[in-house]
mmCIF file of all heavy atoms in Angstrom:
data_model
loop_
_atom_site.group_PDB
_atom_site.id
_atom_site.type_symbol
_atom_site.label_atom_id
_atom_site.label_comp_id
_atom_site.label_asym_id
_atom_site.label_seq_id
_atom_site.Cartn_x
_atom_site.Cartn_y
_atom_site.Cartn_z
ATOM 1 N N ILE A 24 9.213 4.669 1.117
ATOM 2 C CA ILE A 24 9.891 5.912 0.731
ATOM 3 C C ILE A 24 10.110 5.961 -0.781
ATOM 4 O O ILE A 24 9.888 6.996 -1.421
ATOM 5 C CB ILE A 24 11.231 6.044 1.480
ATOM 6 C CG1 ILE A 24 10.975 6.266 2.975
ATOM 7 C CG2 ILE A 24 12.072 7.180 0.909
ATOM 8 C CD1 ILE A 24 12.237 6.277 3.823
ATOM 9 N N VAL A 25 10.518 4.844 -1.350
ATOM 10 C CA VAL A 25 10.733 4.796 -2.803
ATOM 11 C C VAL A 25 9.430 5.089 -3.537
ATOM 12 O O VAL A 25 9.391 5.888 -4.489
ATOM 13 C CB VAL A 25 11.293 3.423 -3.216
ATOM 14 C CG1 VAL A 25 11.283 3.273 -4.742
ATOM 15 C CG2 VAL A 25 12.706 3.238 -2.685
ATOM 16 N N GLU A 26 8.348 4.457 -3.097
ATOM 17 C CA GLU A 26 7.060 4.669 -3.753
ATOM 18 C C GLU A 26 6.554 6.091 -3.538
ATOM 19 O O GLU A 26 6.102 6.749 -4.480
ATOM 20 C CB GLU A 26 6.033 3.668 -3.210
ATOM 21 C CG GLU A 26 4.654 3.805 -3.852
ATOM 22 C CD GLU A 26 3.651 2.811 -3.311
ATOM 23 O OE1 GLU A 26 4.029 1.973 -2.473
ATOM 24 O OE2 GLU A 26 2.467 2.884 -3.715
ATOM 25 N N GLY A 27 6.631 6.576 -2.295
ATOM 26 C CA GLY A 27 6.128 7.920 -2.013
ATOM 27 C C GLY A 27 6.904 9.015 -2.717
ATOM 28 O O GLY A 27 6.340 10.059 -3.062
ATOM 29 N N SER A 28 8.192 8.785 -2.937
ATOM 30 C CA SER A 28 9.036 9.798 -3.596
ATOM 31 C C SER A 28 9.083 9.623 -5.107
ATOM 32 O O SER A 28 9.788 10.383 -5.777
ATOM 33 C CB SER A 28 10.458 9.723 -3.038
ATOM 34 O OG SER A 28 11.093 8.517 -3.445
ATOM 35 N N GLU A 29 8.359 8.638 -5.617
ATOM 36 C CA GLU A 29 8.402 8.339 -7.054
ATOM 37 C C GLU A 29 9.843 8.121 -7.499
ATOM 38 O O GLU A 29 10.361 8.775 -8.386
ATOM 39 C CB GLU A 29 7.712 9.435 -7.868
ATOM 40 C CG GLU A 29 6.224 9.573 -7.558
ATOM 41 C CD GLU A 29 5.532 10.662 -8.357
ATOM 42 O OE1 GLU A 29 6.214 11.331 -9.167
ATOM 43 O OE2 GLU A 29 4.323 10.848 -8.164
ATOM 44 N N ASN A 30 10.484 7.171 -6.815
ATOM 45 C CA ASN A 30 11.876 6.794 -7.103
ATOM 46 C C ASN A 30 12.853 7.953 -6.930
ATOM 47 O O ASN A 30 13.773 8.146 -7.726
ATOM 48 C CB ASN A 30 12.007 6.190 -8.495
ATOM 49 C CG ASN A 30 11.244 4.889 -8.624
ATOM 50 O OD1 ASN A 30 10.093 4.861 -9.062
ATOM 51 N ND2 ASN A 30 11.868 3.799 -8.203
ATOM 52 N N GLY A 31 12.625 8.697 -5.846
ATOM 53 C CA GLY A 31 13.575 9.745 -5.495
ATOM 54 C C GLY A 31 13.357 11.070 -6.165
ATOM 55 O O GLY A 31 14.171 11.986 -5.993
ATOM 56 N N LYS A 32 12.266 11.241 -6.894
ATOM 57 C CA LYS A 32 12.034 12.482 -7.637
ATOM 58 C C LYS A 32 11.288 13.532 -6.820
ATOM 59 O O LYS A 32 11.362 14.719 -7.114
ATOM 60 C CB LYS A 32 11.256 12.191 -8.925
ATOM 61 C CG LYS A 32 11.940 11.173 -9.842
ATOM 62 C CD LYS A 32 13.353 11.570 -10.192
ATOM 63 C CE LYS A 32 14.015 10.531 -11.106
ATOM 64 N NZ LYS A 32 15.444 10.854 -11.339
ATOM 65 N N ARG A 33 10.546 13.080 -5.786
ATOM 66 C CA ARG A 33 9.776 14.010 -4.962
ATOM 67 C C ARG A 33 10.205 13.899 -3.500
ATOM 68 O O ARG A 33 10.791 12.908 -3.092
ATOM 69 C CB ARG A 33 8.275 13.711 -5.069
ATOM 70 C CG ARG A 33 7.672 13.986 -6.432
ATOM 71 C CD ARG A 33 6.172 13.766 -6.397
ATOM 72 N NE ARG A 33 5.547 14.023 -7.685
ATOM 73 C CZ ARG A 33 5.173 15.232 -8.122
ATOM 74 N NH1 ARG A 33 5.355 16.294 -7.324
ATOM 75 N NH2 ARG A 33 4.622 15.397 -9.295
ATOM 76 N N THR A 34 9.885 14.909 -2.731
ATOM 77 C CA THR A 34 10.113 14.832 -1.289
ATOM 78 C C THR A 34 9.059 13.914 -0.659
ATOM 79 O O THR A 34 8.038 13.609 -1.283
ATOM 80 C CB THR A 34 10.027 16.223 -0.642
ATOM 81 O OG1 THR A 34 8.726 16.763 -0.861
ATOM 82 C CG2 THR A 34 11.091 17.145 -1.215
ATOM 83 N N VAL A 35 9.322 13.479 0.557
ATOM 84 C CA VAL A 35 8.354 12.649 1.283
ATOM 85 C C VAL A 35 7.971 13.351 2.581
ATOM 86 O O VAL A 35 8.648 14.274 3.022
ATOM 87 C CB VAL A 35 8.939 11.249 1.602
ATOM 88 C CG1 VAL A 35 9.152 10.452 0.328
ATOM 89 C CG2 VAL A 35 10.230 11.357 2.405
ATOM 90 N N ASP A 36 6.861 12.897 3.170
ATOM 91 C CA ASP A 36 6.464 13.418 4.468
ATOM 92 C C ASP A 36 5.965 12.263 5.333
ATOM 93 O O ASP A 36 6.082 11.096 4.964
ATOM 94 C CB ASP A 36 5.427 14.544 4.330
ATOM 95 C CG ASP A 36 4.154 14.088 3.636
ATOM 96 O OD1 ASP A 36 3.830 12.874 3.702
ATOM 97 O OD2 ASP A 36 3.462 14.925 3.033
ATOM 98 N N GLU A 37 5.391 12.609 6.472
ATOM 99 C CA GLU A 37 5.000 11.575 7.424
ATOM 100 C C GLU A 37 3.973 10.606 6.862
ATOM 101 O O GLU A 37 3.969 9.418 7.210
ATOM 102 C CB GLU A 37 4.450 12.237 8.695
ATOM 103 C CG GLU A 37 4.142 11.237 9.801
ATOM 104 C CD GLU A 37 3.854 11.905 11.130
ATOM 105 O OE1 GLU A 37 4.525 12.903 11.453
ATOM 106 O OE2 GLU A 37 2.949 11.424 11.838
ATOM 107 N N SER A 38 3.104 11.069 5.974
ATOM 108 C CA SER A 38 2.084 10.175 5.429
ATOM 109 C C SER A 38 2.704 9.030 4.633
ATOM 110 O O SER A 38 2.187 7.911 4.637
ATOM 111 C CB SER A 38 1.104 10.959 4.548
ATOM 112 O OG SER A 38 1.742 11.440 3.379
ATOM 113 N N ASP A 39 3.818 9.290 3.964
ATOM 114 C CA ASP A 39 4.501 8.224 3.217
ATOM 115 C C ASP A 39 5.057 7.174 4.169
ATOM 116 O O ASP A 39 4.966 5.969 3.909
ATOM 117 C CB ASP A 39 5.637 8.822 2.380
ATOM 118 C CG ASP A 39 5.144 9.775 1.311
ATOM 119 O OD1 ASP A 39 4.357 9.348 0.454
ATOM 120 O OD2 ASP A 39 5.533 10.955 1.353
ATOM 121 N N LEU A 40 5.634 7.621 5.266
ATOM 122 C CA LEU A 40 6.213 6.679 6.219
ATOM 123 C C LEU A 40 5.133 5.906 6.967
ATOM 124 O O LEU A 40 5.345 4.751 7.363
ATOM 125 C CB LEU A 40 7.113 7.432 7.201
ATOM 126 C CG LEU A 40 8.281 8.182 6.557
ATOM 127 C CD1 LEU A 40 9.152 8.837 7.624
ATOM 128 C CD2 LEU A 40 9.126 7.265 5.694
ATOM 129 N N ARG A 41 3.972 6.515 7.139
ATOM 130 C CA ARG A 41 2.888 5.806 7.810
ATOM 131 C C ARG A 41 2.302 4.686 6.935
ATOM 132 O O ARG A 41 1.654 3.775 7.461
ATOM 133 C CB ARG A 41 1.798 6.776 8.252
ATOM 134 C CG ARG A 41 2.237 7.615 9.430
ATOM 135 C CD ARG A 41 1.082 8.202 10.209
ATOM 136 N NE ARG A 41 1.595 8.876 11.406
ATOM 137 C CZ ARG A 41 1.880 8.267 12.535
ATOM 138 N NH1 ARG A 41 1.693 6.960 12.643
ATOM 139 N NH2 ARG A 41 2.348 8.939 13.570
ATOM 140 N N VAL A 42 2.525 4.742 5.660
ATOM 141 C CA VAL A 42 2.136 3.620 4.796
ATOM 142 C C VAL A 42 2.872 2.358 5.245
ATOM 143 O O VAL A 42 2.293 1.261 5.310
ATOM 144 C CB VAL A 42 2.441 3.941 3.322
ATOM 145 C CG1 VAL A 42 2.270 2.696 2.447
ATOM 146 C CG2 VAL A 42 1.528 5.062 2.827
ATOM 147 N N TYR A 43 4.155 2.511 5.552
ATOM 148 C CA TYR A 43 4.943 1.377 6.067
ATOM 149 C C TYR A 43 4.381 0.890 7.392
ATOM 150 O O TYR A 43 4.208 -0.328 7.596
ATOM 151 C CB TYR A 43 6.413 1.802 6.201
ATOM 152 C CG TYR A 43 7.111 1.389 7.471
ATOM 153 C CD1 TYR A 43 7.376 0.049 7.750
ATOM 154 C CD2 TYR A 43 7.518 2.344 8.412
ATOM 155 C CE1 TYR A 43 8.019 -0.327 8.932
ATOM 156 C CE2 TYR A 43 8.156 1.985 9.574
ATOM 157 C CZ TYR A 43 8.406 0.651 9.837
ATOM 158 O OH TYR A 43 9.037 0.283 11.002
ATOM 159 N N LEU A 44 4.064 1.809 8.313
ATOM 160 C CA LEU A 44 3.550 1.410 9.626
ATOM 161 C C LEU A 44 2.238 0.652 9.508
ATOM 162 O O LEU A 44 2.029 -0.369 10.160
ATOM 163 C CB LEU A 44 3.330 2.641 10.501
ATOM 164 C CG LEU A 44 4.469 3.146 11.376
ATOM 165 C CD1 LEU A 44 3.920 4.111 12.413
ATOM 166 C CD2 LEU A 44 5.209 2.018 12.046
ATOM 167 N N GLU A 45 1.336 1.168 8.690
ATOM 168 C CA GLU A 45 0.030 0.537 8.535
ATOM 169 C C GLU A 45 0.164 -0.871 7.964
ATOM 170 O O GLU A 45 -0.496 -1.812 8.425
ATOM 171 C CB GLU A 45 -0.858 1.396 7.643
ATOM 172 C CG GLU A 45 -1.253 2.720 8.280
ATOM 173 C CD GLU A 45 -1.945 3.666 7.309
ATOM 174 O OE1 GLU A 45 -2.090 3.281 6.124
ATOM 175 O OE2 GLU A 45 -2.321 4.768 7.726
ATOM 176 N N LYS A 46 1.017 -1.026 6.981
ATOM 177 C CA LYS A 46 1.229 -2.336 6.377
ATOM 178 C C LYS A 46 1.866 -3.290 7.379
ATOM 179 O O LYS A 46 1.477 -4.463 7.489
ATOM 180 C CB LYS A 46 2.121 -2.189 5.140
ATOM 181 C CG LYS A 46 2.342 -3.485 4.374
ATOM 182 C CD LYS A 46 3.174 -3.235 3.128
ATOM 183 C CE LYS A 46 3.419 -4.545 2.367
ATOM 184 N NZ LYS A 46 4.273 -4.307 1.164
ATOM 185 N N TRP A 47 2.826 -2.799 8.142
ATOM 186 C CA TRP A 47 3.509 -3.637 9.134
ATOM 187 C C TRP A 47 2.535 -4.115 10.205
ATOM 188 O O TRP A 47 2.485 -5.301 10.523
ATOM 189 C CB TRP A 47 4.656 -2.848 9.759
ATOM 190 C CG TRP A 47 5.327 -3.607 10.859
ATOM 191 C CD1 TRP A 47 5.022 -3.570 12.188
ATOM 192 C CD2 TRP A 47 6.388 -4.559 10.720
ATOM 193 N NE1 TRP A 47 5.839 -4.430 12.892
ATOM 194 C CE2 TRP A 47 6.678 -5.049 12.011
ATOM 195 C CE3 TRP A 47 7.121 -5.021 9.631
ATOM 196 C CZ2 TRP A 47 7.671 -5.992 12.239
ATOM 197 C CZ3 TRP A 47 8.118 -5.961 9.850
ATOM 198 C CH2 TRP A 47 8.380 -6.441 11.142
ATOM 199 N N ASP A 48 1.790 -3.191 10.758
ATOM 200 C CA ASP A 48 0.878 -3.540 11.840
ATOM 201 C C ASP A 48 -0.200 -4.513 11.373
ATOM 202 O O ASP A 48 -0.562 -5.452 12.090
ATOM 203 C CB ASP A 48 0.237 -2.286 12.416
ATOM 204 C CG ASP A 48 1.229 -1.408 13.163
ATOM 205 O OD1 ASP A 48 2.359 -1.873 13.400
ATOM 206 O OD2 ASP A 48 0.885 -0.260 13.485
ATOM 207 N N LYS A 49 -0.709 -4.304 10.192
ATOM 208 C CA LYS A 49 -1.742 -5.191 9.670
ATOM 209 C C LYS A 49 -1.204 -6.602 9.464
ATOM 210 O O LYS A 49 -1.901 -7.589 9.726
ATOM 211 C CB LYS A 49 -2.282 -4.641 8.349
ATOM 212 C CG LYS A 49 -3.388 -5.493 7.744
ATOM 213 C CD LYS A 49 -3.914 -4.872 6.462
ATOM 214 C CE LYS A 49 -5.028 -5.729 5.868
ATOM 215 N NZ LYS A 49 -5.561 -5.132 4.617
ATOM 216 N N THR A 50 0.040 -6.709 9.034
ATOM 217 C CA THR A 50 0.620 -8.015 8.704
ATOM 218 C C THR A 50 1.077 -8.769 9.948
ATOM 219 O O THR A 50 0.853 -9.984 10.063
ATOM 220 C CB THR A 50 1.815 -7.843 7.749
ATOM 221 O OG1 THR A 50 1.381 -7.129 6.588
ATOM 222 C CG2 THR A 50 2.374 -9.197 7.322
ATOM 223 N N TYR A 51 1.708 -8.074 10.903
ATOM 224 C CA TYR A 51 2.419 -8.785 11.972
ATOM 225 C C TYR A 51 1.858 -8.593 13.380
ATOM 226 O O TYR A 51 2.305 -9.276 14.304
ATOM 227 C CB TYR A 51 3.898 -8.380 11.959
ATOM 228 C CG TYR A 51 4.585 -8.797 10.688
ATOM 229 C CD1 TYR A 51 5.064 -7.851 9.781
ATOM 230 C CD2 TYR A 51 4.727 -10.140 10.366
ATOM 231 C CE1 TYR A 51 5.676 -8.244 8.603
ATOM 232 C CE2 TYR A 51 5.333 -10.537 9.198
ATOM 233 C CZ TYR A 51 5.810 -9.585 8.306
ATOM 234 O OH TYR A 51 6.409 -9.972 7.139
ATOM 235 N N TRP A 52 0.881 -7.682 13.560
ATOM 236 C CA TRP A 52 0.343 -7.498 14.906
ATOM 237 C C TRP A 52 -0.180 -8.796 15.507
ATOM 238 O O TRP A 52 0.100 -9.093 16.678
ATOM 239 C CB TRP A 52 -0.756 -6.439 14.904
ATOM 240 C CG TRP A 52 -1.351 -6.231 16.258
ATOM 241 C CD1 TRP A 52 -0.892 -5.413 17.251
ATOM 242 C CD2 TRP A 52 -2.505 -6.878 16.801
ATOM 243 N NE1 TRP A 52 -1.686 -5.506 18.363
ATOM 244 C CE2 TRP A 52 -2.682 -6.401 18.129
ATOM 245 C CE3 TRP A 52 -3.403 -7.818 16.302
ATOM 246 C CZ2 TRP A 52 -3.732 -6.826 18.929
ATOM 247 C CZ3 TRP A 52 -4.444 -8.246 17.109
ATOM 248 C CH2 TRP A 52 -4.599 -7.753 18.403
ATOM 249 N N PRO A 53 -0.924 -9.648 14.768
ATOM 250 C CA PRO A 53 -1.418 -10.899 15.379
ATOM 251 C C PRO A 53 -0.292 -11.795 15.881
ATOM 252 O O PRO A 53 -0.413 -12.414 16.947
ATOM 253 C CB PRO A 53 -2.201 -11.569 14.231
ATOM 254 C CG PRO A 53 -2.589 -10.435 13.332
ATOM 255 C CD PRO A 53 -1.445 -9.481 13.392
ATOM 256 N N THR A 54 0.813 -11.874 15.143
ATOM 257 C CA THR A 54 1.943 -12.704 15.559
ATOM 258 C C THR A 54 2.500 -12.230 16.895
ATOM 259 O O THR A 54 2.732 -13.027 17.816
ATOM 260 C CB THR A 54 3.052 -12.670 14.496
ATOM 261 O OG1 THR A 54 2.544 -13.226 13.281
ATOM 262 C CG2 THR A 54 4.270 -13.470 14.944
ATOM 263 N N TYR A 55 2.711 -10.928 17.018
ATOM 264 C CA TYR A 55 3.268 -10.379 18.260
ATOM 265 C C TYR A 55 2.314 -10.593 19.428
ATOM 266 O O TYR A 55 2.737 -10.919 20.546
ATOM 267 C CB TYR A 55 3.573 -8.886 18.084
ATOM 268 C CG TYR A 55 4.850 -8.624 17.335
ATOM 269 C CD1 TYR A 55 4.890 -8.673 15.947
ATOM 270 C CD2 TYR A 55 6.031 -8.353 18.002
ATOM 271 C CE1 TYR A 55 6.063 -8.450 15.252
ATOM 272 C CE2 TYR A 55 7.216 -8.119 17.323
ATOM 273 C CZ TYR A 55 7.217 -8.170 15.941
ATOM 274 O OH TYR A 55 8.391 -7.955 15.253
ATOM 275 N N LYS A 56 1.032 -10.427 19.195
ATOM 276 C CA LYS A 56 0.060 -10.550 20.270
ATOM 277 C C LYS A 56 -0.038 -11.991 20.761
ATOM 278 O O LYS A 56 -0.077 -12.244 21.978
ATOM 279 C CB LYS A 56 -1.305 -10.065 19.787
ATOM 280 C CG LYS A 56 -2.320 -9.875 20.918
ATOM 281 C CD LYS A 56 -1.848 -8.819 21.902
ATOM 282 C CE LYS A 56 -2.860 -8.607 23.017
ATOM 283 N NZ LYS A 56 -2.369 -7.634 24.018
ATOM 284 N N VAL A 57 -0.092 -12.953 19.830
ATOM 285 C CA VAL A 57 -0.190 -14.365 20.214
ATOM 286 C C VAL A 57 1.030 -14.789 21.028
ATOM 287 O O VAL A 57 0.914 -15.459 22.066
ATOM 288 C CB VAL A 57 -0.348 -15.258 18.966
ATOM 289 C CG1 VAL A 57 -0.135 -16.729 19.321
ATOM 290 C CG2 VAL A 57 -1.736 -15.079 18.360
ATOM 291 N N LEU A 58 2.226 -14.406 20.575
ATOM 292 C CA LEU A 58 3.439 -14.788 21.294
ATOM 293 C C LEU A 58 3.534 -14.100 22.655
ATOM 294 O O LEU A 58 4.079 -14.664 23.607
ATOM 295 C CB LEU A 58 4.669 -14.480 20.443
ATOM 296 C CG LEU A 58 4.814 -15.370 19.205
ATOM 297 C CD1 LEU A 58 5.975 -14.899 18.330
ATOM 298 C CD2 LEU A 58 5.018 -16.825 19.596
ATOM 299 N N ASP A 59 2.999 -12.900 22.750
ATOM 300 C CA ASP A 59 2.942 -12.214 24.035
ATOM 301 C C ASP A 59 2.069 -12.996 25.022
ATOM 302 O O ASP A 59 2.441 -13.202 26.188
ATOM 303 C CB ASP A 59 2.381 -10.803 23.832
ATOM 304 C CG ASP A 59 2.332 -9.998 25.121
ATOM 305 O OD1 ASP A 59 3.219 -10.193 25.973
ATOM 306 O OD2 ASP A 59 1.413 -9.180 25.270
ATOM 307 N N ILE A 60 0.922 -13.471 24.546
ATOM 308 C CA ILE A 60 0.026 -14.257 25.397
ATOM 309 C C ILE A 60 0.685 -15.567 25.809
ATOM 310 O O ILE A 60 0.622 -15.976 26.976
ATOM 311 C CB ILE A 60 -1.302 -14.521 24.662
ATOM 312 C CG1 ILE A 60 -2.063 -13.207 24.462
ATOM 313 C CG2 ILE A 60 -2.160 -15.522 25.430
ATOM 314 C CD1 ILE A 60 -3.277 -13.316 23.569
ATOM 315 N N LEU A 61 1.327 -16.241 24.861
ATOM 316 C CA LEU A 61 1.990 -17.513 25.175
ATOM 317 C C LEU A 61 3.047 -17.333 26.256
ATOM 318 O O LEU A 61 3.177 -18.166 27.162
ATOM 319 C CB LEU A 61 2.622 -18.100 23.908
ATOM 320 C CG LEU A 61 1.668 -18.723 22.895
ATOM 321 C CD1 LEU A 61 2.441 -19.183 21.669
ATOM 322 C CD2 LEU A 61 0.909 -19.894 23.503
ATOM 323 N N GLN A 62 3.824 -16.252 26.168
ATOM 324 C CA GLN A 62 4.861 -16.019 27.164
ATOM 325 C C GLN A 62 4.244 -15.791 28.543
ATOM 326 O O GLN A 62 4.744 -16.315 29.557
ATOM 327 C CB GLN A 62 5.723 -14.823 26.775
ATOM 328 C CG GLN A 62 6.828 -14.532 27.794
ATOM 329 C CD GLN A 62 7.921 -13.638 27.238
ATOM 330 O OE1 GLN A 62 8.203 -13.656 26.052
ATOM 331 N NE2 GLN A 62 8.546 -12.853 28.091
ATOM 332 N N LYS A 63 3.156 -15.028 28.592
ATOM 333 C CA LYS A 63 2.520 -14.757 29.872
ATOM 334 C C LYS A 63 1.909 -16.022 30.482
ATOM 335 O O LYS A 63 1.903 -16.191 31.699
ATOM 336 C CB LYS A 63 1.446 -13.685 29.694
ATOM 337 C CG LYS A 63 2.011 -12.303 29.413
ATOM 338 C CD LYS A 63 0.912 -11.294 29.150
ATOM 339 C CE LYS A 63 1.505 -9.906 28.878
ATOM 340 N NZ LYS A 63 0.453 -8.923 28.525
ATOM 341 N N VAL A 64 1.404 -16.919 29.637
ATOM 342 C CA VAL A 64 0.753 -18.126 30.132
ATOM 343 C C VAL A 64 1.765 -19.186 30.557
ATOM 344 O O VAL A 64 1.662 -19.776 31.639
ATOM 345 C CB VAL A 64 -0.212 -18.699 29.073
ATOM 346 C CG1 VAL A 64 -0.727 -20.069 29.493
ATOM 347 C CG2 VAL A 64 -1.380 -17.749 28.847
ATOM 348 N N PHE A 65 2.777 -19.425 29.704
ATOM 349 C CA PHE A 65 3.637 -20.589 29.902
ATOM 350 C C PHE A 65 4.995 -20.296 30.532
ATOM 351 O O PHE A 65 5.695 -21.219 30.930
ATOM 352 C CB PHE A 65 3.850 -21.312 28.567
ATOM 353 C CG PHE A 65 2.615 -22.001 28.063
ATOM 354 C CD1 PHE A 65 1.947 -21.537 26.956
ATOM 355 C CD2 PHE A 65 2.121 -23.116 28.716
ATOM 356 C CE1 PHE A 65 0.805 -22.173 26.488
ATOM 357 C CE2 PHE A 65 0.981 -23.764 28.263
ATOM 358 C CZ PHE A 65 0.317 -23.290 27.143
ATOM 359 N N TYR A 66 5.412 -19.039 30.611
ATOM 360 C CA TYR A 66 6.714 -18.733 31.203
ATOM 361 C C TYR A 66 6.589 -18.193 32.628
ATOM 362 O O TYR A 66 7.550 -17.701 33.192
ATOM 363 C CB TYR A 66 7.458 -17.700 30.343
ATOM 364 C CG TYR A 66 8.083 -18.251 29.078
ATOM 365 C CD1 TYR A 66 7.811 -19.534 28.629
ATOM 366 C CD2 TYR A 66 8.954 -17.482 28.324
ATOM 367 C CE1 TYR A 66 8.364 -20.021 27.467
ATOM 368 C CE2 TYR A 66 9.522 -17.965 27.150
ATOM 369 C CZ TYR A 66 9.215 -19.243 26.731
ATOM 370 O OH TYR A 66 9.774 -19.726 25.577
#
C-alpha cells in the first residue's frame, strides 16, 4: 500500500493489494504445501 500510494500521496486499488498476494504466495506457498502433506502422512 505504501509503495502503490507513493507514500500516501495517491489512491490505491486492487492491483496494488495483489502485489502483496503475489509476493506472499511465491514466497510461502511451498512451505504451506509441504507441511500440509506431512500432516496428512504422519498424523
Side-chain angles (χ1 to χ4, degrees):
I24 292 175
V25 170
E26 181 180 357
S28 69
E29 297 180 0
N30 296 94
K32 303 305 180 186
R33 293 185 180 276
T34 61
V35 293
D36 60 26
E37 186 169 321
S38 67
D39 296 301
L40 300 183
R41 287 201 174 277
V42 170
Y43 136 67
L44 271 195
E45 292 171 359
K46 184 177 179 182
W47 175 269
D48 291 349
K49 181 178 180 180
T50 304
Y51 296 114
W52 179 85
T54 297
Y55 281 81
K56 192 62 179 177
V57 167
L58 291 174
D59 182 33
I60 293 171
L61 285 177
Q62 180 163 330
K63 290 176 180 176
V64 171
F65 290 110
Y66 283 10

